[in-house]
């Protein structure tokens, strides 16, 4: 017997996301696409990661690169899932909106919405573990990062569900 499929999320218009949320933009490039001119699905994760780095710098006020290179704290995905709602095409200007869903002991979860205009193209479910890069073991979310994530989550009107 096959388990029933999980329900597909309903697309959310861009204007329905919190007005206080961080937003970044990206242009879909030739190299992001397959031969049909549609975004090759793993490239959404690459595009999204760039916006996560921008979120750190511009909104959380934490230097993503310094955290990794100097502090030795890694932020690798332990879960990454996508719901594809509409295809993105070469030349599209997209808006990416990361929202903090949860801040736990040694991980945090983001929902990252990707829109073309009001139309949601992709929704990413990303869970990131914080690790000591030298020992390759999980460590608690650093206090400054925890505080920044929780502050941002609150600014977006969301509640933490650890």
């Amino acid at each position: 017997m096959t388990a029933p499929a999980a329900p597909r999320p309903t697309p959310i218009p861009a204007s329905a996301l919190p007005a206080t949320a961080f937003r970044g933009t990206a242009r879909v490039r030739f190299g992001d696409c397959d031969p049909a001119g549609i975004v090759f699905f793993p490239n959404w994760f690459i595009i999204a990661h760039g916006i996560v780095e921008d979120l750190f710098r511009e909104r959380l006020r934490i230097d993503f690169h310094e955290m990794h290179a100097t502090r030795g704290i890694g932020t690798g995905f332990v879960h990454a899932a996508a719901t594809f709602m509409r295809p993105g095409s070469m030349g599209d200007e997209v808006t990416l909106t990361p929202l903090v869903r949860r801040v736990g002991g040694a991980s945090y979860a983001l929902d990252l919405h990707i829109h073309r205009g009001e139309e949601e193209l992709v929704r990413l479910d990303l869970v990131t573990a914080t690790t000591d890069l030298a020992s390759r073991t999980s460590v608690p979310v650093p206090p400054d990062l925890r505080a920044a994530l929780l502050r941002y989550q609150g600014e977006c009107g969301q509640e933490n569900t650890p």
Side-chain angles (χ1 to χ4, degrees), residues 106-138:
S107 67
Y108 58 91
L110 302 174
D111 291 322
L112 200 144
H113 302 264
I114 304 174
H115 287 84
R116 177 180 50 220
E118 281 293 302
E119 181 180 39
E120 188 171 24
L121 303 179
V122 181
R123 188 174 314 156
L124 302 179
D125 168 7
L126 307 170
V127 179
T128 299
T130 48
T131 58
D132 177 298
L133 292 175
S135 67
R136 310 261 175 165
T137 57
S138 77

Side-chain angles (χ1 to χ4, degrees), residues 49-158:
H49 196 274
I51 295 303
V52 170
E53 291 183 37
D54 293 346
L55 169 72
F56 268 65
R57 182 184 68 247
E58 296 173 27
R59 190 65 177 269
L60 303 181
R61 301 289 185 226
I62 293 176
D63 187 320
F64 186 88
H65 303 108
E66 185 269 338
M67 188 170 65
H68 288 75
T70 304
R71 294 170 60 181
I73 302 294
T75 58
F77 293 143
V78 294
H79 173 82
T83 300
F84 301 100
M85 298 173 198
R86 301 286 302 161
S89 301
M90 184 172 44
D92 282 349
E93 183 84 19
V94 294
T95 302
L96 297 94
T97 309
L99 298 173
V100 176
R101 183 174 66 247
R102 177 186 61 74
V103 181
S107 67
Y108 58 91
L110 302 174
D111 291 322
L112 200 144
H113 302 264
I114 304 174
H115 287 84
R116 177 180 50 220
E118 281 293 302
E119 181 180 39
E120 188 171 24
L121 303 179
V122 181
R123 188 174 314 156
L124 302 179
D125 168 7
L126 307 170
V127 179
T128 299
T130 48
T131 58
D132 177 298
L133 292 175
S135 67
R136 310 261 175 165
T137 57
S138 77
V139 295
V141 175
D144 61 333
L145 178 56
R146 171 180 298 287
L149 288 166
L150 290 172
R151 183 185 68 249
Y152 173 64
Q153 185 181 45
E155 290 168 358
C156 293
Q158 301 172 289

Side-chain angles (χ1 to χ4, degrees), residues 16-31:
L17 296 177
T20 54
F22 176 80
R23 287 169 171 77
T25 60
R27 179 169 303 285
V28 174
R29 308 286 180 183
F30 175 82

